[in-house]
Amino acid sequence: MSSKTEQNFLLKEQIINASSTGLIGISCMYLLNLMRFTLQSKPVTIDKERTYKKLFNCGREIFGRHGLRGLYNGFTVNAFFIAPETIKLVVNDYLCAKLQTKDEPLSLYRRMLAGAGAGTCQSIVTVPMELLIIRKITNTGSGIDIEIKSAWHHAMKAIRQKGFLGLYKGAVATWNRDVFFSVIYFPLFAYLNNRGRSLETDKVPFYHTLMSGVCAAAISGYVATPLDVIKTRIQSGDPKFKNAYNGVIDCAKYV
């Protein structure tokens, strides 16, 4: 097998692994993501009253209004976009390989640069994906008599209002969040994972890699939460709530 064929095979393998892992991940974590989006997009009404008090209070009320369908509202959108969205893992590995110099370990700066490139590629898919999910969730939590609209309905509405670019509302805010998260996550994961590498076998145990990913994601997610809140408020677009912001800076002033 030629080196070019081998590289193509490995690339396909990485894409399949990333897509499968992403699908399993969203299946396990979607309920928490739904409650997170709901809390971030509709925290306070015009009368300055909180819509939901706590995380699980939010989930309980949505289930009471719309049943199990309401708790998984927007899941199909997430599942559809998850394959291209997880390409960030492949992009990061690719950029790290390109930035690698012979006989020298990859520097922190180069790892951060690779992470920034991965976050940039991710945001191309993340913007329309999260916009449609947030619009569906906003509709779900608006009241008992509100009908749950399809993602296609919200997509066509955004396109009719502002053309194809309507699907990219909040693009700058999403790019800020994705790049900031990736710049922290990928170098941190690489550092933690390498700490568990065996000197004898030059391999890292699976449990250590798993815990390295969990710790890196938790720290990166926590640090990037303010940018995530700003992004969600901008994309929400519900006129009943205080989220008609003119860009990232304007939104940050009122969050």
Side-chain angles (χ1 to χ4, degrees), residues 15 18-19 77-89 91 118 121-126 129:
I15 293 175
S19 302
V77 180
N78 209 167
F80 178 79
F81 279 102
I82 196 61
E85 196 266 347
T86 52
I87 297 303
K88 67 177 180 180
L89 303 175
V91 172
C121 293
Q122 175 194 7
S123 64
I124 297 173
V125 179
T126 303
M129 178 185 74

Side-chain angles (χ1 to χ4, degrees), residues 88-89 92 96 107-120 122 175-193 212-228:
K88 67 177 180 180
L89 303 175
N92 179 74
C96 283
S107 65
L108 175 61
Y109 169 75
R110 291 174 183 265
R111 288 193 182 278
M112 293 176 68
L113 189 61
T120 299
Q122 175 194 7
W175 179 82
N176 288 338
R177 191 275 313 269
D178 288 345
V179 170
F180 188 67
F181 176 89
S182 297
V183 164
I184 298 174
Y185 171 77
F186 286 110
L188 181 58
F189 169 74
Y191 171 78
L192 295 175
N193 192 51
S212 297
V214 171
C215 293
I219 294 173
S220 304
Y222 179 80
V223 176
T225 294
L227 295 176
D228 189 38

